[in-house]
Amino acid sequence: MRRDSSIQAEMNFITSFWGLVVERINFWDVWREIVDAHVVDEVAWVVEKIQSAGYEVPLGAVARALSHRSGLDHRFLAARFMDLVNRRMKPAPCVHEFFSALASRGRVAVLSNTPCRCFIDSFLKERNLHVDLVLTSDMLLRRKPSRSVFKFALSKLGAEPHSAVYIGDSVEDLGALGLGILTVIVGAEGGHLNFPDLCSAARWLSTGLERL
């Protein structure tokens, strides 16, 4: 595949988070450690219906719903959930190499479906990783693969699709394809390019990008 000469200029990289740079966490399993499982299942059913329609339910709203059903304080619930999730976050191998390669080539944005941006912020800060932009579904109230989410990321970067590369790990990331963004999928099928793991993607970013 050939791209125009802009691929050799400064690029705009948009990357997912859960499943790509950090192992996925089943958030409902975490909630079940805090709140009775029957209560969690009731709230999960509603939240997942909303998410399947393309909308996000932020952490605060989930905590309030669980508080209403359980009688526990919503602030306690949210704080406990954040603590447990932060403790469980495990970076994928080559995370530092990956972000270093991205930063050496252009601007970097993280675009994630997540109930709280706080998880991404704390992960990046703890590991001294710099990105130019963090966009999350709890801020936008829309979830990938909605094209509007990818369009918003491009607009915040001041970028056109031909000057962007999207790197993800699942079908929710394929919304970038419809906008004409070069789409790289790691650890799964789909997209313009595929790599088995983040280490392979980092090596490509460091040595092979110009060959497109």
Side-chain angles (χ1 to χ4, degrees), residues 18 26 88 96 99 142 156-157 175 183 186 193 199 211:
W18 300 108
N26 187 316
R88 284 164 171 73
H96 282 84
F99 279 103
R142 294 300 303 271
K156 294 295 287 185
L157 287 168
T183 304
V186 175
L193 291 173
C199 296
R211 293 199 295 269

Side-chain angles (χ1 to χ4, degrees), residues 10 13 98-108 130 132:
E10 182 178 76
F13 296 96
F98 176 69
F99 279 103
S100 177
L102 291 175
S104 69
R105 296 303 184 105
R107 290 176 295 178
V108 184
H130 171 76
D132 299 286

Side-chain angles (χ1 to χ4, degrees), residues 116-171:
C116 185
R117 171 181 169 151
C118 56
F119 301 127
I120 297 172
D121 288 341
S122 64
F123 179 87
L124 296 174
K125 182 178 181 180
E126 182 178 336
R127 290 158 182 82
N128 197 29
L129 298 171
H130 171 76
V131 299
D132 299 286
L133 180 66
V134 175
L135 293 173
T136 53
S137 56
D138 66 314
M139 300 165 57
L140 303 175
L141 301 182
R142 294 300 303 271
R143 291 171 59 88
K144 300 180 289 184
S146 170
R147 287 191 185 184
S148 64
V149 173
F150 297 96
K151 285 182 179 179
F152 187 76
L154 288 174
S155 70
K156 294 295 287 185
L157 287 168
E160 297 295 330
H162 69 269
S163 66
V165 176
Y166 186 88
I167 305 171
D169 69 294
S170 69
V171 293

Side-chain angles (χ1 to χ4, degrees), residues 19-210:
L20 181 71
V21 300
V22 173
E23 292 182 15
R24 289 189 181 275
I25 295 173
N26 187 316
F27 294 134
W28 296 120
D29 282 348
V30 177
W31 279 121
R32 291 183 184 99
E33 296 184 26
I34 307 170
V35 183
D36 182 87
H38 295 295
V39 172
V40 174
D41 290 344
E42 289 178 2
V43 172
W45 186 87
V46 176
V47 170
E48 288 174 354
K49 289 292 184 181
I50 295 171
Q51 290 177 335
S52 67
Y55 298 94
E56 187 57 272
V57 181
L59 170 59
V62 175
R64 287 180 181 277
L66 290 169
S67 172
H68 177 73
R69 298 295 295 169
S70 67
L72 297 171
D73 182 76
H74 67 92
R75 290 162 294 190
F76 161 78
L77 293 175
R80 182 62 176 150
F81 178 79
M82 290 165 59
D83 179 59
L84 290 176
V85 170
N86 280 323
R87 291 185 185 189
R88 284 164 171 73
M89 287 197 293
K90 296 181 180 179
C94 299
V95 161
H96 282 84
E97 294 88 340
F98 176 69
F99 279 103
S100 177
L102 291 175
S104 69
R105 296 303 184 105
R107 290 176 295 178
V108 184
V110 175
L111 180 63
S112 176
N113 285 348
T114 188
C116 185
R117 171 181 169 151
C118 56
F119 301 127
I120 297 172
D121 288 341
S122 64
F123 179 87
L124 296 174
K125 182 178 181 180
E126 182 178 336
R127 290 158 182 82
N128 197 29
L129 298 171
H130 171 76
V131 299
D132 299 286
L133 180 66
V134 175
L135 293 173
T136 53
S137 56
D138 66 314
M139 300 165 57
L140 303 175
L141 301 182
R142 294 300 303 271
R143 291 171 59 88
K144 300 180 289 184
S146 170
R147 287 191 185 184
S148 64
V149 173
F150 297 96
K151 285 182 179 179
F152 187 76
L154 288 174
S155 70
K156 294 295 287 185
L157 287 168
E160 297 295 330
H162 69 269
S163 66
V165 176
Y166 186 88
I167 305 171
D169 69 294
S170 69
V171 293
E172 69 187 20
D173 298 309
L174 296 180
L177 281 171
L179 296 180
I181 301 173
L182 176 63
T183 304
V184 179
I185 298 296
V186 175
E189 297 298 320
H192 296 107
L193 291 173
N194 299 101
F195 293 100
D197 50 47
L198 198 65
C199 296
S200 301
R203 286 192 294 270
W204 169 74
L205 288 165
S206 297
T207 63
L209 194 58
E210 288 84 356

